[in-house]
Amino acid sequence: MLEAAIRVADRGGAEAITMRRVAQELGVEAMSLYHHVPNKDAILDGVVDVVFAAIELPDAGCGDWRDAIRARASSARSVLSRHSWALGLVDSRRTPGPATLRHHDAVLGVLRRAGFTLPMAAHAISLIDSYISGFVIQEVNLPVMTPDEVKEVAGGILENLPADELPYLTEMIVDHALRPGYDYTAEFGYGLDLILDALEARRK
C-alpha cells in the first residue's frame, strides 16, 4: 500500500495521496484500505518512513565523521530528488516511524561520537538538512538538466544579453556555464564540503 502511495505521489505530488487514488493504484475499493490503516494520516506517516528507510544510514565505523555524513547527505539528496514531494512531509509528521527514528539516531550518533556537543550536533543537523532540502528544491526546478539543455538555454539568454551593461553575468555564462563539462549538480558536493569544514572548525 505504501509503495502504491509513493507511486501516486511521484506522479502528482503529496497532495495526490488520497485513499481513493491509492486504492485505484492498487485496483481495489477505497473502503478496503481501512482494514489496513485508520486514515490518510497513517499513510502519510508510512510513506515518510519508507523514504527515510531508503536513505543510507551513516557508517558508525567510519574513521572520519565528515565522510560518514557526506555519504548520508549524498544518499538523502538522491532519494529526495526522486521523491521531491516528500520534502514538505518529512519534517511535518508528528508520529515518526521506526526507520525515521533510527535514521535520526544514527546521524546524531556519528556527530556525538565525533565530539560534537549536543547543541552543536543540533546545529549541524539543522544546517546540513536545510542545505540538502534547498539544493533538491532548486535542482528539481531547474529548466535545464543535460549539457545540451544548458547550451540551449544559456545561449538563448546570451543572445539578448547586453554584455556591456551586464558584464559579470555575461562572463559567468560564457566562461563558466558554457564551458565543456559544466554540471550544476556538482555544486552540491562543493557546498557540502564547505559546511562540513566549517562544522569541523567549531566541533569542540
Side-chain angles (χ1 to χ4, degrees):
M1 180 193 311
L2 296 179
E3 294 297 337
I6 287 174
R7 291 195 297 272
V8 169
D10 284 344
R11 292 195 301 268
E15 63 276 7
I17 299 178
T18 63
M19 301 297 273
R20 180 177 61 82
R21 287 181 179 172
V22 173
Q24 287 176 342
E25 184 73 18
L26 291 168
V28 299
E29 293 294 326
M31 289 303 295
S32 68
L33 298 185
Y34 290 99
H35 294 295
H36 305 280
V37 292
N39 49 43
K40 174 184 169 180
D41 275 338
I43 293 180
L44 294 178
D45 289 340
V47 296
V48 166
D49 209 46
V50 170
V51 168
F52 267 105
I55 299 173
E56 178 183 331
L57 290 175
D59 183 0
C62 186
D64 187 337
W65 72 270
R66 286 174 294 188
D67 290 340
I69 296 299
R70 186 182 294 109
R72 176 260 177 185
S74 296
S75 177
R77 173 203 168 196
S78 177
V79 170
L80 291 171
S81 291
R82 295 195 303 272
H83 308 298
S84 57
W85 50 267
L87 287 169
L89 287 179
V90 293
D91 294 321
S92 69
R93 310 313 301 164
R94 295 187 175 187
T95 52
T100 304
L101 296 173
R102 186 166 54 249
H103 183 95
H104 291 320
D105 187 75
V107 175
L108 274 169
V110 167
L111 296 172
R112 293 290 280 137
R113 284 191 298 272
F116 282 81
T117 64
L118 193 55
M120 273 305 300
H123 292 326
I125 291 173
S126 177
L127 179 59
I128 294 166
D129 285 359
S130 294
Y131 175 69
I132 296 168
S133 297
F135 193 92
V136 169
I137 289 172
Q138 190 171 37
E139 186 176 21
V140 299
N141 285 288
L142 282 176
V144 296
M145 293 300 291
T146 67
D148 286 341
E149 290 172 336
V150 171
K151 185 175 181 180
E152 179 184 351
V153 172
I157 294 172
L158 196 61
E159 286 179 6
N160 302 304
L161 199 67
D164 54 336
E165 295 178 25
L166 305 171
Y168 301 110
L169 184 55
T170 301
E171 178 187 40
M172 174 64 76
I173 293 173
V174 173
D175 295 333
H176 189 65
L178 290 178
R179 289 183 66 84
Y182 171 75
D183 179 8
Y184 170 76
T185 60
E187 298 291 347
F188 179 78
Y190 184 84
L192 180 61
D193 282 345
L194 287 179
I195 291 171
L196 297 179
D197 288 346
L199 289 170
E200 170 66 17
R202 298 192 178 193
R203 180 162 58 101
K204 296 179 179 179

